[in-house]
Amino acid sequence: MIFFAGLILYGVILNLREVTLKEAVIEKGLKGFENVHLVIDKTDYRISLYSNKILIKKYKAVFGKSSGTIKSSSDDNITPIGDYKICAIDTLNKYHKFFHLDYPNERDAAEALKQGYIFDDEFNTITLAAKKNECPPKETKLGSEIGIHGIGTYNIIFKNLPFAFNWTNGSIAVSNESIDELYSVIKVGTPVKIIN
């Protein structure tokens, strides 16, 4: 128990050095945000926030429980890689806030159809949602409800771990404070690139 408390205290000290988004914007000399997009690096455990081509700030992030690179089912707990966009924002979520990604998108559906993970009817449902600029159906064989979210109730513990502990269903988790900062600049349609 003492060891765990020491780890959390060490994490608190590390987090004290973190610059706020407001401070980062002032540091960069920016007046506002243009062409906001996110790059999520699964190897670096970071979300990078960009305005045009300028890196504004990086956020510590964790991912799905499984470390694979190809998400092929709803229960594989893998964070997908590829180009996505925010398709909905939920501010009343158990994980504080939740930015829904358009996973699976048309590219994911086409690859899954080719590999035999899904059949024509599900492919058509996913691509129809994409054409309408809607989030994918909630229940697909490839998984759904993938996004970027806060930690929720256990924020004080998980945000202060000095190491990465992947625990999600395939989504990307950041601290409640980080999701609040991102919420101030993210909107539906914001591009998100996930790399391995």
Side-chain angles (χ1 to χ4, degrees):
M1 187 66 166
I2 293 172
F3 175 72
F4 185 70
L7 275 179
I8 298 297
L9 182 60
Y10 178 63
V12 168
I13 292 166
L14 289 177
N15 287 335
L16 288 176
R17 296 186 216 152
E18 190 171 315
V19 176
T20 66
L21 179 57
K22 187 176 181 180
E23 291 167 336
V25 169
I26 292 168
E27 219 174 73
K28 303 284 181 185
L30 297 176
K31 302 254 187 274
F33 292 90
E34 292 181 9
N35 300 316
V36 171
H37 61 282
L38 302 175
V39 176
I40 300 172
D41 188 334
K42 289 173 61 177
T43 305
D44 194 29
Y45 293 95
R46 295 282 182 257
I47 296 178
S48 298
L49 170 65
Y50 287 88
S51 175
N52 285 322
K53 293 182 179 180
I54 300 169
L55 172 61
I56 305 300
K57 184 174 176 182
K58 288 187 176 192
Y59 296 91
K60 182 173 114 178
V62 295
F63 306 101
K65 290 178 249 184
S66 297
S67 61
T69 57
I70 306 297
K71 185 163 185 63
S72 61
S73 78
S74 60
D75 58 357
D76 62 13
N77 294 317
I78 292 173
T79 302
I81 56 173
D83 293 305
Y84 300 98
K85 65 183 177 197
I86 306 291
C87 62
I89 297 174
D90 178 1
T91 58
L92 300 172
N93 192 277
K94 70 178 180 177
Y95 296 117
H96 192 59
K97 289 181 174 70
F98 195 108
F99 306 153
H100 296 266
L101 294 177
D102 64 340
Y103 172 86
N105 61 21
E106 289 178 283
R107 182 187 54 81
D108 298 312
E111 184 61 27
L113 182 65
K114 185 172 124 182
Q115 298 295 330
Y117 300 143
I118 63 172
F119 300 106
D120 287 336
D121 58 339
E122 192 161 11
F123 171 80
N124 293 333
T125 305
I126 293 167
T127 55
L128 180 62
K131 284 179 179 36
K132 292 180 175 181
N133 281 324
E134 296 174 351
C135 287
K138 288 197 183 282
E139 297 300 322
T140 76
K141 290 178 187 165
L142 297 176
S144 60
E145 297 295 300
I146 299 295
I148 304 165
H149 59 71
I151 296 171
T153 307
Y154 299 105
N155 186 58
I156 193 71
I157 295 170
F158 282 98
K159 80 172 186 175
N160 289 311
L161 289 176
F163 55 85
F165 173 67
N166 290 331
W167 56 270
T168 77
N169 69 336
S171 288
I172 299 99
V174 296
S175 71
N176 292 350
E177 294 80 4
S178 294
I179 204 76
D180 285 341
E181 282 193 354
L182 289 168
Y183 178 70
S184 70
V185 294
I186 296 301
K187 60 186 182 209
V188 170
T190 297
V192 176
K193 184 178 196 69
I194 305 174
I195 60 175
N196 203 19

